[in-house]
Amino acid sequence: MDTTVVLTSPNPYGSRTLTIEADRTSSVAYLRDAKGIVHGAVWLANHVPAPAEADLARAGAGLPPVMPEAHTAHPSGRPPLDPEALSVLWFEEGDGVALYENDVLLAVIPAWADLERGMPGYARDALGESPFAWPLGEALEGLSPRVAKARAYWQWRQAEGSWATYQQFVLGHLDGRLGTPGRYWDVGGGRFPMVGVSERPPTFTRDYTVLSTVGMSCQRMPAAEMYDTACRVELALATRQDPRVAARLFAWLGQYPWRSVTWLGHGHTARWFQSPRTFPLDGHHGVLMLTDPPGLPDMSGFVFGGDAVRWLWLLPLTEPELRLVADHGHRAITERLAVTSRI
């Protein structure tokens, strides 16, 4: 039986796509990445009378699953979904999504949903927990505030002047922490999320330039909340080298969390994605990210969206140092790092 695509909706960052597929028997929503891997899924509706037992072979064959009668609010089936009646609301992080039918919440696929691990998304018409969907009504106490926050965020984000206002808040914070601004570069490449770099030249109290991203903290990072870590960050770099060249690090990492659907945090490393010879900071092959390294400016005190923003300082590492951190953790090297000698 042929399966048709009812709706396709990419997230604002281009890293996840919601796809609704259906045949004459049932409909299902999948959350995929660019490689087509299914990360989350949720049954939406049966269009024929429900069977007494689940047909796992059907789901295993890649067909939309059919919910058994004990787990559907419509055991006799319901009409096929009308694409014109459907609308999609992505979470701020881009790793979860809410689906509406005629402006009524039909399903939610959270970031942690994984059909293969028995953790499907939530469906309005599901009863009890099954491998294909969990009941949306029983989870609304926790999901409703999250959905409302996502709607409020995108309404604000799409409003005229929202980016400029946010930008000025971040730049004002940097003024107070780092002094008079220098140049500003857009490193977002015309893609979402928007990310810029603010240059802060040397002052009478420091002999190096500080570069900081402006824009990463405007949206929460994917998956961060599942690890109980800071969900909003900016990146900073102290350098005595050409700031225009060093700023390439931010073009590399500034959009990374949303493109790769992951998070950046204290102690993380990143290896340069091209030949080491092209790394912007001579003699190094990657970076270590640290919060509040000794000897560098205190960047704390900025809050956005109710969340404290954490600045992650990029410290360049050689290839042997990257391997050391990979094998033994960042503490194996941070205790002997001379931060100001590396800039």
Side-chain angles (χ1 to χ4, degrees), residues 6-7 20 80-88 99-103:
V6 177
L7 178 146
I20 298 177
L81 300 173
D82 177 6
E84 297 298 320
L86 301 176
S87 58
V88 175
L99 176 66
Y100 289 82
E101 182 181 35
N102 294 317
D103 297 325

Side-chain angles (χ1 to χ4, degrees), residues 43-337:
W43 165 90
L44 298 174
N46 288 351
H47 308 309
V48 297
E53 303 291 337
D55 185 351
L56 298 179
R58 174 182 164 87
L63 297 172
V66 180
M67 189 68 82
E69 60 181 345
H71 292 287
T72 172
H74 302 284
S76 298
R78 55 151 289 173
L81 300 173
D82 177 6
E84 297 298 320
L86 301 176
S87 58
V88 175
L89 174 65
W90 284 95
F91 289 174
E92 179 179 344
E93 301 88 338
D95 58 359
V97 65
L99 176 66
Y100 289 82
E101 182 181 35
N102 294 317
D103 297 325
V104 177
L105 198 57
L106 177 64
V108 174
I109 304 180
W112 47 260
D114 188 333
L115 192 63
E116 293 183 357
R117 297 171 58 192
M119 296 187 297
Y122 299 88
R124 181 189 64 196
D125 295 337
L127 299 178
E129 294 184 0
S130 79
F132 309 129
W134 289 352
L136 179 61
E138 296 179 10
L140 282 178
E141 183 177 354
L143 290 176
S144 290
R146 184 63 182 275
V147 171
K149 188 173 182 178
R151 184 171 299 280
Y153 173 79
W154 291 115
Q155 288 175 343
W156 169 81
R157 192 68 181 82
Q158 294 162 5
E160 184 177 356
S162 62
W163 168 252
T165 300
Y166 158 84
Q167 200 175 31
Q168 289 306 309
F169 281 142
V170 181
L171 291 172
H173 176 74
L174 295 176
D175 290 348
R177 293 295 182 180
L178 301 173
T180 305
R183 293 165 292 186
Y184 183 92
W185 299 282
D186 178 1
V187 295
R191 302 182 303 169
F192 198 76
M194 299 170 68
V195 180
V197 176
S198 177
E199 176 193 39
R200 305 290 159 150
T203 68
F204 67 91
T205 60
R206 66 170 189 268
D207 64 350
Y208 53 85
T209 295
V210 174
L211 301 175
S212 172
T213 56
V214 176
M216 294 182 67
S217 62
C218 195
Q219 48 281 308
R220 294 161 58 98
M221 289 187 296
E225 65 179 355
M226 291 188 287
Y227 293 90
D228 193 27
T229 189
C231 59
R232 296 189 192 274
V233 301
E234 298 285 354
L235 302 178
L237 175 71
T239 184
R240 297 187 182 98
Q241 300 185 34
D242 186 343
R244 294 170 299 178
V245 176
R248 291 172 54 199
L249 293 177
F250 300 113
W252 167 43
L253 291 173
Q255 296 174 322
Y256 180 79
W258 300 273
R259 296 293 171 186
S260 300
V261 194
T262 189
W263 57 283
L264 300 177
H266 178 69
H268 286 193
T269 59
R271 189 182 302 274
W272 185 240
F273 67 105
Q274 296 177 336
S275 166
R277 295 190 306 274
T278 67
F279 191 72
L281 305 176
D282 294 340
H284 298 91
H285 293 180
V287 296
L288 172 65
M289 304 175 205
L290 296 176
T291 58
D292 304 321
L296 294 180
D298 176 11
M299 303 291 279
S300 63
F302 184 66
V303 176
F304 183 74
D307 302 311
V309 176
R310 175 179 294 177
W311 262 259
L312 297 173
W313 289 88
L314 304 183
L315 301 184
L317 297 185
T318 63
E319 180 61 33
E321 289 171 337
L322 285 166
R323 291 197 298 266
L324 179 64
V325 173
D327 292 340
H328 302 287
H330 71 91
R331 290 183 179 83
I333 195 171
T334 52
E335 292 182 359
R336 58 185 177 86
L337 274 177

